[in-house]
């Protein structure tokens, strides 16, 4: 707050370190602007991801930060990018990025703006060494013709569309899977194993504020697809409870159904965030993914 032109980052070594800082998040970070009209651009980096390291090392309590977001889940705000009213009206940002370029751009955006908002970054350590978690230089330098360049250019991508280069209208896709974070790479690996060409996987990189415009773009792209939210956290944790009502609002606006039409793929509700048994975690994940990529109708949790 002393120097708003500096990029200041606070990192918890593991997610459990953030539990002890929760009072600071509650008192100052999430509500400071509403209470005292003081903006801060602090970046909070929280390792988060299910790698078999035990309950506390697996979860940065993503759901807590989303619950403290003050955006209305039943109203689609003005989404004109030139106005930027959605982000200015929201108390903070919560992201779960999956590529080096997107990580770079979200930090660059943080300091490049003319206003300040806290930024909560879920940053799985698993992706530091993941062979598929990489970006082309063209995603940084904006040179057309380089591998990896697309119409979105070199900017932070709030949503990364399916990487199978689908056209603007794909009526043959039977299931649209929305997810966030490193679980994407596990989903993509499983999809390749079963040759699931009729399934599209989109990554919601920015959870809050919710990217209504880009979600609706993908809903239009896959008009016949069953809509699924997939996460590695238990149902009562992670982003599901935050995503579901907002996704429902986006679907209703397009006549694509309601909350009853959103399917869930992930772990059942649990008191503990995770187990320390890697084999058990892996077995649970594989069973969930097999259901996701099968022809079976997924069950709505509601």
């Amino acid at each position: 707050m002393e120097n708003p032109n500096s990029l200041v980052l606070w990192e918890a070594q593991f997610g459990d370190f953030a539990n002890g800082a929760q009072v600071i998040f509650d008192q100052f970070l999430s509500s400071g602007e509403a209470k005292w009209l003081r903006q801060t651009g602090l970046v909070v980096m929280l390792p988060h991801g299910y790698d078999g390291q035990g309950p506390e090392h697996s979860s940065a309590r993503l759901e807590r930060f989303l619950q403290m977001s003050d955006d209305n889940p039943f109203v689609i705000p003005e989404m004109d990018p030139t106005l930027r009213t959605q982000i200015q009206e929201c108390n903070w940002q919560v992201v779960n990025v999956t590529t080096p370029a997107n990580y770079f751009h979200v930090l660059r955006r943080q300091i490049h703006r003319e206003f300040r908002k806290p930024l909560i970054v879920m940053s799985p350590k698993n992706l530091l060494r993941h062979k598929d978690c990489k970006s082309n230089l063209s995603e940084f330098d904006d040179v057309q013709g380089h591998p990896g360049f697309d119409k979105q250019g070199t900017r932070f991508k709030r949503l990364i569309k399916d990487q199978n280069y689908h056209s603007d209208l794909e009526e043959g896709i039977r299931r649209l899977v929305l997810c966030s974070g490193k679980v994407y790479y596990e989903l993509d690996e499983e999809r390749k194993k079963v040759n699931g060409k009729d399934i599209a996987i989109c990554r919601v990189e920015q959870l809050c504020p919710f990217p209504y415009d880009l979600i609706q773009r993908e809903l239009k792209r896959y008009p016949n697809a069953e809509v699924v939210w997939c996460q590695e956290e238990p149902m009562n944790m992670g982003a599901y409870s935050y995503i579901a009502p907002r996704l429902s609002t986006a679907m209703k606006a397009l006549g694509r159904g309601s909350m009853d039409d959103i399917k869930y793929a992930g772990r059942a509700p649990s008191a503990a965030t995770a187990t320390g048994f890697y084999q058990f975690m892996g077995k649970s994940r594989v069973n969930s993914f097999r259901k996701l990529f099968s022809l079976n109708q997924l069950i709505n949790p509601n």
Side-chain angles (χ1 to χ4, degrees):
M1 295 179 70
E2 291 264 333
N3 187 355
N5 293 320
S6 295
L7 181 65
V8 181
L9 301 91
W10 182 87
E11 181 183 24
Q13 184 178 1
F14 286 102
D16 55 329
F17 283 34
N19 289 340
Q22 192 68 36
V23 65
I24 304 297
F25 301 148
D26 293 350
Q27 287 292 107
F28 301 102
L29 206 58
S30 70
S31 57
E33 185 175 358
K35 291 191 289 190
W36 305 304
L37 301 180
R38 293 298 303 273
Q39 290 189 341
T40 172
L42 179 68
V43 179
V44 178
M45 300 169 59
L46 305 176
H48 177 82
Y50 285 46
D51 298 323
Q53 298 296 315
E56 275 63 55
H57 287 194
S58 300
S59 179
R61 292 293 189 177
L62 170 61
E63 63 278 359
R64 292 178 179 174
F65 297 95
L66 294 174
Q67 185 184 38
M68 287 190 286
S69 302
D70 64 356
D71 57 330
N72 190 327
F74 306 112
V75 177
I76 299 179
E78 173 60 59
M79 299 302 297
D80 188 333
T82 62
L83 298 178
R84 297 187 298 181
T85 56
Q86 187 193 29
I87 179 56
Q88 293 192 51
E89 293 171 356
C90 195
N91 63 326
W92 61 10
Q93 314 149 94
V94 181
V95 302
N96 196 1
V97 294
T98 58
T99 70
N102 230 22
Y103 178 55
F104 165 77
H105 286 300
V106 78
L107 295 180
R108 181 180 180 274
R109 183 184 74 169
Q110 185 70 0
I111 200 65
H112 186 66
R113 283 174 169 156
E114 297 176 355
F115 59 92
R116 296 289 171 258
K117 291 285 178 179
L119 174 65
I120 311 299
V121 183
M122 297 291 132
S123 47
K125 292 190 174 184
N126 175 280
L127 295 188
L128 290 173
R129 55 187 180 274
H130 198 288
K131 61 183 177 61
D132 294 325
C133 183
K134 56 189 176 183
S135 298
N136 288 296
L137 286 177
S138 58
E139 295 178 67
F140 297 86
D141 64 18
D142 219 5
V143 177
Q144 283 191 341
H146 282 193
F149 178 84
D150 64 17
K151 290 184 290 186
Q152 296 182 72
T154 57
R155 64 178 64 235
F156 174 65
K157 298 175 182 178
R158 293 170 294 144
L159 181 145
I160 298 180
K161 60 186 180 181
D162 188 271
Q163 295 301 288
N164 286 330
Y165 304 105
H166 291 162
S167 63
D168 291 339
L169 184 64
E170 293 285 341
E171 297 180 346
I173 298 298
R174 67 178 175 89
R175 188 166 284 168
L176 169 61
V177 180
L178 299 171
C179 65
S180 186
K182 78 175 188 66
V183 71
Y184 163 76
Y185 292 103
E186 298 165 351
L187 287 170
D188 190 48
E189 181 182 354
E190 192 70 21
R191 178 172 60 173
K192 291 175 181 176
K193 288 181 181 178
V194 300
N195 196 28
K197 296 182 179 180
D198 56 351
I199 294 179
I201 306 174
C202 294
R203 285 169 270 179
V204 182
E205 301 279 287
Q206 177 175 292
L207 297 162
C208 173
F210 189 70
Y212 288 98
D213 52 341
L214 302 182
I215 290 290
Q216 289 184 324
R217 182 193 71 189
E218 298 309 305
L219 290 172
K220 293 176 183 176
R221 189 191 305 273
Y222 308 108
N224 300 321
E226 180 182 44
V227 179
V228 180
W229 173 258
C230 179
Q231 65 180 33
E232 57 183 355
E233 302 91 347
M235 184 188 294
N236 58 318
M237 303 176 194
Y240 173 68
S241 58
Y242 174 88
I243 290 290
R246 291 163 178 82
L247 179 55
S248 173
T249 298
M251 292 169 62
K252 285 180 181 178
L254 297 178
R256 282 291 297 273
S258 61
M259 185 81 79
D260 292 336
D261 298 292
I262 300 173
K263 306 301 187 294
Y264 168 83
R267 290 180 167 87
S270 171
T273 54
T275 175
F277 294 99
Y278 186 76
Q279 289 182 329
F280 180 81
M281 291 181 68
K283 182 178 181 181
S284 173
R285 176 182 63 83
V286 169
N287 289 339
S288 177
F289 290 171
R290 282 176 179 170
K291 293 178 183 177
L292 185 60
F293 291 106
S294 71
L295 291 173
N296 296 334
Q297 189 77 7
L298 293 175
I299 298 174
N300 183 280
N302 301 311

